[in-house]
């Protein structure tokens, strides 16, 4: 599969809400995931850490809706835009329902996602 | 100015339709601009080539509307999402009014944009 094919299938799974399956199929064992914030999860390295971040996020947010737009492709990278309506269960913003948009940029190598960066 | 400040000002100019001014202020002399297509403009290197690409695009498209969303920031990069309603004047799609969305990812170094990549 080339980058556009991977992007299309990854996006299809995200649009269906199957984020775990998308990661399971396409994350490299050595995937690096970066968030645009400070803290322990600003950079996660390796499949276990990245999966743990996803699990933490799922456990600590009530998701009212999650829309995925894309994919947008360039070379070995693709971008997705997310529209998220969510209430955090913990932290400073606990209980505050928030609507936000963000962009994820994914880098593909040898058929797997080796890096994802989230922009907001 | 840090990356978020540059991104905010660059985006403000794009939202006002001042793309030339945005580039004039923030492109590095060595900026590299890549498009997600084959052809002579798939990769432009240096301010003159990138400005020439912009001029070519302006000369060869009738723009009905151009909306900019963002900025979305992560580290030394930021992303913008564009919604474009345009009719090309030349090429295979000449005369065909088209609506499309795309994402631009910009990399900042020493206060200037050193790379921009367009995803679609």
């Amino acid at each position: 599969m080339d980058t556009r094919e991977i992007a299309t299938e990854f996006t299809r799974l995200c649009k269906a809400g199957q984020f775990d399956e998308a990661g399971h199929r396409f994350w490299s064992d050595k995937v690096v995931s970066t968030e645009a914030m400070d803290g322990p999860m600003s950079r996660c390295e390796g499949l276990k850490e990245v999966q743990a971040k996803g699990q933490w996020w799922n456990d600590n947010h009530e998701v009212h809706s999650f829309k995925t737009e894309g994919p947008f492709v360039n070379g070995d990278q693709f971008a997705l835009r997310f529209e998220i309506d969510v209430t955090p269960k913990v932290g400073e913003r606990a209980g505050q329902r928030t609507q936000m948009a963000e962009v994820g940029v994914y880098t593909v190598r040898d058929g797997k996602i080796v890096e994802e960066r989230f922009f907001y």
Side-chain angles (χ1 to χ4, degrees), chain A residues 10 13 18-29 47 50-51 112-113:
Chain A
F10 187 87
L13 291 165
Q18 298 179 280
F19 300 100
D20 291 346
E21 175 66 12
H24 176 71
R25 284 189 52 191
F26 292 111
W27 277 332
S28 159
D29 288 344
L47 197 51
V50 176
Q51 285 173 331
K112 294 284 187 175
I113 293 167

Side-chain angles (χ1 to χ4, degrees), chain A residues 6-16 68-71 78-80:
Chain A
I6 288 166
T8 299
E9 180 62 8
F10 187 87
T11 306
R12 184 187 70 76
L13 291 165
C14 290
K15 286 183 178 176
T68 302
E69 180 194 17
F78 67 93
L80 298 176

